[in-house]
Amino acid sequence: MLSRRMLCSSAVLVLGLGCAAPQVETRTEPVAAVAPAPTPPPQAPALRLGTDARPERYQVELTLDPTQATFRGVADIQLALEKPTELLWLHGVGLTVERATFTVGGEEVSAEVLPGSEDVFGLRPARALPAGKAAVHLRYAGKVSDKDSTGVFRQQDGKDWYLYTQFEADFARRAFPSFDEPSFKVPFQLTLKVRAQDAAFSNTPVESEQSGADGWKVVRFKETPPLPTYLVAFAVGPFETVQAAPGGRKQVPVRIIVPRGRTAEAAWAAKATPELVAVLEDYFDAPYPYEKLDTIAIPLTMGWGAMENPGLITFNAQRILAKPEEETESFRRRFAGIQAHELAHQWFGNLVTTAWWNDIWLNEAFASWMGTKTVQAWRPAWENGLQAVQARDWAMGADSLTTARRIRQPIQTKGDIAQAFDAITYVKGSLVLRMFEASLGEETFRKGVQEYMRRHAHGNATADDFAAAVSSAAGRDVSPAFSTFLEQPGLPLVSMGLTCEAGAAPALKLSQKRYLPVGSKGDAAQTWQVPVCVRYGRGKGAAQACTVLTEATGTLALDGVKGCPDWVAPNAGMKGYYRARLEGDLLKRLTRDGGKRLTVAERIGLLGDVGALARSHEVPPAEALALVERVLPSQERGLVTSAVALVESVREDLVPEPLRPHFARYVRKVFGAQARALGLRAKAGESEDARLLRPLLVEQVAGRGEDASLRKEARALAEAWLKDRKAVAPDMVPVVLQVAAAGGDAALRERMMQAAQASSERRERQLLLTALAHVDDAQLAQRNMEAVLGGGLELREAFLYLVRGTTENPSTREVAYRYVKEHFEPLVQGLPQSAGTTVSSAGALLMNVGEDFCDAEHRKDLADFFGERSARHEGAPRALAQALERVDLCIALKEAQARSLAGFLTRY
């Protein structure tokens, strides 16, 4: 699954679990007038159910009407009991159990329903059940959520209601009583009773459909292969389908399922999906594992963007659907990347499933790594592999915090499960896989992956199982080196000094420690087994040398060229997961000609490393900003994008007010000519890269660069777009609206807000709310906040796009922060209480609103206001700790960089 902000470069914004009251209700007879003294209730399992009882098969029948807020269900679970059983624990949330019975040896045994905890309830049979086979039958009612996008939930598109599911990580318990853990992987047979006018979909093809005289029909689906509960899925509503070409070696049916009237928006998804399946089958040398492949659009998701349910992938509609006239190049690439990730999951995660959530990286890191490889093989011209290099900075930024998780993090609470879906799992995990693939060789690594799939197909596996399969293919044990990256947080900083002594081969003196930004309270004395590969050269000769740095220091001989090398590229191909520091004059020698000896990937990575070294106060920020000038101008989109990212890392908070005009002149000098040449309108015959660079550069130069001409043109285009939605090219609408709003007046702000409130299209509303978050006037920002609660906006959208966006705007951050504090309880109550990944409660999400401040006063206020509140919300203490650490680091960096920045910027 991809969380919503895993699809973007900004911080992950999600909601999670936040239930406080017992969730399983029971119907009981009145107690007798005289009763014996009560006995203490049995203690429910705290996190896991145990293995004394295991499911072997589920049969679930549900009656579902998308217009209603409840549903009814019948669940039959075949059991294997390891020992005599007097009490069976099952997961269930929000379920009213009306009847429960056991069947043993053909005999029915009544059962009493006992409350346990918010997630677990008990079944006490009238007599103890013997070890062996048994079955449990439950009739119950459940709840459909109108605001969450987890469990069983419903949404409206136009005038129609639709019902969907999202069960990862632990939300299947909201749909049916179950053993809701990934290690319980068994077949499911699902039957849905739905209105005659509704379509029904699930993981498998329809086995039968029977219509009744009561206006309902019964849809029975084929039994699934073994699945964990979190991968079961279904959807009900007046959907329409788009038939794509059959997919893969088995030519399975491929469809895109959309809300009524939106089939024209699914053209790209229908084209790309079967082609991506073929690429993945080639890599795994195994066919797509399921009988069909449907992908279904959901109007709005919070906390996740897509989910890999076998046979029924779910997608946020904004990621999969686009009107033909709005289908931009960036949309096509974004969909392909996400769909490749979800399709990779059909093998990683679905066919072979993690045994427990501590190994969720076996799903998400693999799918991220494989998704990138798939798109690169499918569309080489897109240079998708460069995205992995650009993603380093995001992962390493998260990994540099002392509050960072391990990739393979122990799971001790429910909150730990939600927090396991983050940049460490998705991006760091994928980069570590990429590093070991490069170290072992692509074909060796591929054989290990294929062996892992063969050994564990339709079962569960662990990190040790994967390491064993790769080790078998490699002919050596990779576990020790691999585990140093899986089992500890943080990332290595590898320093390299060149020695050229008479009578000896040139060599690099290597040392490693944990990379820590300035102001960090972490311990740098940490080591890994780091695969290090460098490229180096002298004159026209070049060579590569590799080693594994296992201790704090080491040596790497450079005997591939004659004489002392002229230059050293510290991370060949940018495949290594480490920051590199070149000692002496090596950095200056490497970048003297703009780094032309380096590949594009290596130049992108070098920019990221130098920017990180500036944040750790090991390189002056002036040197990092000067490096941008040396590598530009360039027509390499990835390099320009990374240069922009480095400049943006010098946050406005770090630049004193008197120097901000100087910074603006620096931005215009570096990016201005290219931005103005591209302009705000597309040109005939221009390249795809030009179209993709235009919004990025225009936003940078018009924003931080304060370019008056671009701002004026953006305002005019925004005015035109508000009158005619076809007046601006679709790929430029976001930046045009944002630039216009930033410098806009009250009249423009009012027109934008009225348009957002009146729009019936989510994409348009989200564009307008995102733009309104860019207003620089505090009074206008305050008026925006007044519309969040009770202003005719959907709170989920208003918070994600307007409030959260305003907290990221230095000019108006205080307005949004104050608003959240003043409306903390209404926001907690109004926002979804669960969204599946990363943050486990609405309260935890609100902990992040002050993380962009950069001063001691706000740091204290953040700790004082949210400190006592964090204890009342699942996952909030860790979220607050990370927010406070980010503020601390910014304060320290601001002080450390002040002199160097001032000296550099005064030249502009």
Side-chain angles (χ1 to χ4, degrees), residues 262-300:
R262 302 187 68 178
T263 57
E265 300 176 45
W268 176 245
K271 172 178 171 49
T273 299
E275 296 178 10
L276 291 167
V277 170
V279 177
L280 283 157
E281 287 187 337
D282 286 345
Y283 183 86
F284 292 116
D285 193 24
Y288 170 77
Y290 304 101
E291 289 187 66
K292 71 176 179 73
L293 175 54
D294 291 337
T295 304
I296 190 166
I298 301 176
L300 177 68

Side-chain angles (χ1 to χ4, degrees), residues 47-163:
L47 184 62
R48 305 187 70 171
L49 295 179
T51 57
D52 288 342
R54 299 181 63 88
E56 293 190 329
R57 182 180 183 271
Y58 291 82
Q59 184 171 328
V60 179
E61 299 179 10
L62 300 170
T63 301
L64 302 164
D65 179 349
T67 68
Q68 301 300 311
T70 60
F71 65 91
R72 303 193 65 78
V74 178
D76 289 281
I77 310 173
Q78 295 177 9
L79 303 170
L81 305 179
E82 293 296 319
K83 62 181 184 180
T85 300
E86 296 181 351
L87 181 61
L88 177 72
W89 294 107
L90 292 173
H91 287 116
V93 173
L95 306 179
T96 302
V97 179
E98 299 166 350
R99 186 171 187 268
T101 58
F102 288 96
T103 301
V104 181
E107 181 182 351
E108 185 175 285
V109 180
S110 63
E112 177 188 6
V113 182
L114 302 178
S117 67
E118 63 178 7
D119 286 284
V120 176
F121 69 96
L123 294 176
R124 176 180 286 159
R127 58 179 176 78
L129 307 177
K133 303 296 183 181
V136 61
H137 172 85
L138 302 107
R139 291 185 178 274
Y140 62 96
K143 300 173 183 178
V144 178
S145 177
D146 286 324
K147 64 179 182 178
D148 292 348
S149 49
T150 53
V152 183
F153 62 97
R154 64 179 186 147
Q155 292 184 3
Q156 199 169 17
D157 192 83
K159 296 180 180 180
D160 297 319
W161 282 97
Y162 299 87
L163 184 146

